[in-house]
Amino acid sequence: MDVGVRGISTKKLAKHVYNHYCTLFFQPDFDEVYRYTQYYLQSHSKSPNSLIERAEKWGHYRLNLRNSTAAQQLVLQFRDEEENTEEEMPAKDLSLDLFA
C-alpha cells in the first residue's frame, strides 16, 4: 500500500522477500526468489477480482482496491470522530492513598 497507484517493481518486491527470508544460517538464492515472485505476481494478477493487479508501468504491481474485498480489508480507513455533545464525567481516581 505504501507504493500507491504506481505499484512496486517485481525486482524490488523480490528483494523484500529475499531480505525477509535471509538469516545468519540460511541465505536463499536470489534468482530463485525472483523467479518465484515473478511467477506468483503473474499468476495472481490475471483475475479482475484478484488481490494483486498490474500497474500501468511494465513489471509493476499493486493492490487491487477497486474489485478485491480482501485488499479493501487491508486498508485502514481513518475518519474524524464526531464530537459528543454529552459532558464526560471526570475519571474516578483509583490510585492507592499511601499517605492517609
Side-chain angles (χ1 to χ4, degrees):
M1 191 63 201
D2 288 341
V3 295
V5 181
R6 295 184 329 249
I8 188 169
S9 70
T10 306
K11 188 171 186 175
K12 191 166 187 176
L13 187 60
K15 284 182 183 179
H16 284 288
V17 173
Y18 175 80
N19 289 334
H20 180 75
Y21 286 105
C22 201
T23 65
L24 182 63
F25 303 107
F26 175 70
Q27 287 187 325
D29 183 31
F30 179 75
D31 293 330
E32 186 177 328
V33 171
Y34 178 80
R35 282 192 304 272
Y36 180 77
T37 304
Q38 186 177 30
Y39 166 76
Y40 182 87
L41 291 172
Q42 288 175 351
S43 63
H44 286 85
S45 65
K46 292 182 179 181
S47 170
N49 295 329
S50 64
L51 178 66
I52 302 166
E53 69 178 352
R54 291 182 180 175
E56 288 81 21
K57 194 171 180 183
W58 184 83
H60 284 67
Y61 294 87
R62 65 180 173 216
L63 289 177
N64 182 5
L65 297 176
R66 288 175 285 159
N67 297 334
S68 174
T69 56
Q72 290 173 358
Q73 289 180 356
L74 294 175
V75 178
L76 294 175
Q77 302 211 356
F78 295 99
R79 61 179 172 80
D80 291 333
E81 293 187 25
E82 297 177 15
E83 294 182 21
N84 286 336
T85 56
E86 303 174 15
E87 289 185 25
E88 294 184 15
M89 304 229 1
K92 190 176 187 181
D93 185 17
L94 299 176
S95 61
L96 296 175
D97 190 12
L98 297 177
F99 303 103

